[in-house]
Amino acid sequence: MPSSYNVRSRARERNSVLSRPEFMSLNHQPVRSNAGGGGGAGGGSAGGSPSESRGSARRPGQVKHQTSQPSEEPADNGSKDKREPGKMPEEDCMLLNPSFKGIAINSLLAIDICLSKRMGVCAYTSSPWGGCRSMVTLLALTGHGITWIIGTIVCLTRSNTLAGQEVLVNLLLALLLDVMTVAGVQRLVKRRGPWEMTPGFLDCVAMDIYSFPAAHASRAAMVSKFLLSHLVLAVPLRILLVLWAFLVGMSRVLLGRHHLTDMVCGFALGLLHFSLMESVWLSSSTCQTLISISTLSWSPFF
């Protein structure tokens, strides 16, 4: 017969919270097995039945929770797949660690655009200097490619000296080279001006549609350098010629057609054209041959 003390201790163990299987780790006691001997087996089965029923009541929920986790993964994968097409392209994303070169170039471009917009004081009639727009347009027209090509051809037809014809033929070839080169570079770069403007008729004829490089600045630099090298001019005229080239380049900036960097690159390109023409300078005999061919093309055959 078990004593009353043993019966009370077993009842106390059954009613204790720490004797439950889920709290056994806190009590640092191993879980009792159901296979016990004698009265311990009967007491263990009697005491373990409530805990087992509670454990069995909780296990379906745990099983459902465990089975619901794999089903959530495909949903997450589906949401990731849906988010991936919405990602921004790489060129539209901001670089968190840009290089010093990229920062310097972007800063210079921003300064160039800001200054060019502020200097476009004759862009429209409502601009601050809109009253001077016609005068600035006339100054820009003196550096237009069509104006210089027509003027050179007229002077060539009226020239009677071999030296004059030699200079004029080379100048005509330099003008054609300048027009074609600038038009090709503009087609490749396709940079827009600081102000949205429709190119005029003469600009379309000379293929001066885009902003970079400035065609007027290139032509003015090349013509001024050409005339300074092959004509004997007084010092005041030489100064006026250089000033004219600078004002022609600036006039396009004031009209809002070009940026400041376009004008600077145009000046550099014009000087490059002059150096190229000096290296391939045509002799007087070659120029006379070209003049005779062009004259025969326009003369009647009878």
Side-chain angles (χ1 to χ4, degrees):
M1 289 292 294
S3 62
S4 61
Y5 177 77
N6 293 334
V7 172
R8 289 196 197 98
S9 63
R10 288 173 184 173
R12 195 179 297 114
E13 287 179 359
R14 285 197 298 269
N15 296 328
S16 177
V17 177
L18 296 178
S19 62
R20 297 179 183 178
E22 57 267 24
F23 297 108
M24 275 299 187
S25 60
L26 299 177
N27 200 18
H28 299 286
Q29 293 180 1
V31 181
R32 296 180 181 180
S33 59
N34 294 331
S45 61
S49 58
S51 62
E52 288 178 0
S53 62
R54 293 191 191 98
S56 61
R58 288 191 183 121
R59 280 170 193 164
Q62 294 177 358
V63 172
K64 289 180 182 178
H65 180 68
Q66 292 176 357
T67 55
S68 63
Q69 287 181 352
S71 63
E72 290 175 358
E73 292 180 356
D76 294 336
N77 295 331
S79 62
K80 290 179 182 179
D81 295 336
K82 292 179 182 178
R83 291 171 190 170
E84 288 179 358
K87 289 183 178 179
M88 297 294 292
E90 294 182 358
E91 59 270 14
D92 293 339
C93 297
M94 183 177 63
L95 296 177
L96 298 179
N97 190 18
S99 61
F100 176 77
K101 182 179 178 181
I103 295 175
I105 292 176
N106 292 332
S107 301
L108 290 176
L109 289 177
I111 294 172
D112 177 36
I113 294 173
C114 181
L115 290 178
S116 302
K117 282 184 174 291
R118 292 195 175 191
M119 293 184 67
V121 292
C122 300
Y124 301 99
T125 54
S126 59
S127 299
W129 291 8
C132 304
R133 178 177 169 79
S134 58
M135 188 182 301
V136 177
T137 304
L138 182 62
L139 177 62
L141 187 62
T142 60
H144 204 281
I146 301 300
T147 305
W148 274 98
I149 290 175
I150 294 175
T152 304
I153 293 174
V154 172
C155 293
L156 184 59
T157 57
R158 294 179 177 273
S159 178
N160 297 322
T161 61
L162 296 178
Q165 291 176 356
E166 178 184 353
V167 172
L168 290 172
V169 168
N170 284 277
L171 177 60
L172 180 61
L173 294 177
L175 290 171
L176 295 175
L177 174 65
D178 180 80
V179 170
M180 299 302 294
T181 304
V182 171
V185 175
Q186 286 185 357
R187 291 285 182 179
L188 289 175
V189 179
K190 293 184 178 180
R191 187 186 188 187
R192 297 291 182 180
W195 299 93
E196 292 294 333
M197 292 183 176
T198 304
F201 174 73
L202 291 179
D203 293 335
C204 293
V205 173
M207 295 176 289
D208 186 11
I209 299 175
Y210 296 99
S211 176
F212 182 88
H216 289 68
S218 174
R219 200 166 301 113
M222 187 270 295
V223 169
S224 61
K225 184 66 175 176
F226 190 95
L227 297 180
L228 288 174
S229 300
H230 297 283
L231 295 181
V232 180
L233 300 173
V235 176
L237 291 178
R238 298 173 76 90
I239 295 175
L240 287 176
L241 192 59
V242 174
L243 183 61
W244 166 81
F246 175 75
L247 290 178
V248 167
M250 283 298 301
S251 64
R252 298 290 285 180
V253 178
L254 296 177
L255 291 172
R257 297 284 185 176
H258 297 286
H259 300 85
L260 287 173
T261 51
D262 302 335
M263 181 188 68
V264 173
C265 293
F267 285 145
L269 187 60
L271 296 177
L272 180 63
H273 289 158
F274 168 76
S275 301
L276 182 61
M277 283 306 303
E278 288 293 315
S279 61
V280 294
W281 184 267
L282 299 182
S283 61
S284 178
S285 60
T286 306
C287 293
Q288 292 301 317
T289 304
L290 293 176
I291 292 173
S292 61
I293 293 174
S294 62
T295 304
L296 288 174
S297 62
W298 291 98
S299 62
F301 292 99
F302 53 88

